[in-house]
Amino acid sequence: MKLNKIEHIGIAVKDIKEASRFYEDVLRCQISEQIEVPERKIKIAFTEISGVKLEFLMPTDKGSVVAKFIEKRGEGIHHICFEVDDVEKATAELKDMGVELVDDSPRLGAEGKKIIFIKPKSTHGVLIELKER
Ligand code: ZN
């Protein structure tokens, strides 16, 4: 498998509006409209800096994995996403190599592209997302 680029960096925040006070007012980033992802009980929003996005993840429910992440570790970097050409192929390769994945097979992300997450256990502590080009 070949990683094309860092597609985005996921940042867990308690409140996207609150976070925009720093990211928009201080860093002058433009944060997109919030997108609801009901199956993960989060809302997300993006900003882009020369082709690399920041993905803000805000829990909408205490039961969300992002809420649990913030409870345990506080706000901050949640995952790094790399772009690959073929997520199905990458998933098969990872499985062959015994790498632990969060889901059994790829699913569609909020932007309608195939994604898969690799467990931090297999990556020296970083939740890695692979996203199809
Ligand atoms: Zn992501």
Side-chain angles (χ1 to χ4, degrees):
M1 149 187 16
K2 185 185 162 290
L3 306 179
N4 295 330
K5 62 171 189 176
I6 294 178
E7 215 279 338
H8 65 265
I9 297 167
I11 300 175
V13 297
K14 290 176 185 162
D15 186 336
I16 290 173
K17 272 258 148 48
E18 199 64 42
S20 73
R21 284 199 204 146
F22 175 75
Y23 288 94
E24 287 195 324
D25 299 353
V26 179
L27 296 187
R28 306 280 179 208
C29 296
Q30 193 125 43
I31 298 178
S32 71
E33 290 294 306
Q34 295 178 19
I35 305 163
E36 181 114 41
V37 189
E39 66 275 17
R40 294 178 66 203
K41 297 179 184 134
I42 56 170
K43 282 185 180 173
I44 60 172
F46 290 96
T47 190
E48 189 171 332
I49 304 112
S50 341
V52 179
K53 289 180 273 186
L54 299 182
E55 177 187 50
F56 297 97
L57 310 136
M58 172 176 80
T60 54
D61 187 276
K62 278 191 168 69
S64 143
V65 289
V66 175
K68 285 177 188 150
F69 175 91
I70 292 173
E71 206 181 290
K72 228 168 108 182
R73 302 171 61 169
E75 294 182 301
I77 292 181
H78 178 264
H79 65 273
I80 297 179
C81 176
F82 298 108
E83 182 194 271
V84 296
D85 288 337
D86 187 336
V87 166
E88 296 282 356
K89 213 174 126 195
T91 300
E93 276 179 44
L94 291 166
K95 282 185 174 175
D96 279 351
M97 290 184 271
V99 175
E100 286 195 57
L101 305 171
V102 172
D103 296 308
D104 203 46
S105 57
R107 57 186 161 87
L108 289 182
E111 293 171 300
K113 305 229 172 133
K114 280 184 193 165
I115 58 169
I116 189 97
F117 283 92
I118 306 172
K119 282 189 181 172
K121 224 169 136 182
S122 290
T123 66
H124 300 262
V126 181
L127 178 62
I128 290 180
E129 176 182 4
L130 299 178
K131 181 175 180 181
E132 193 140 302
R133 185 203 293 270

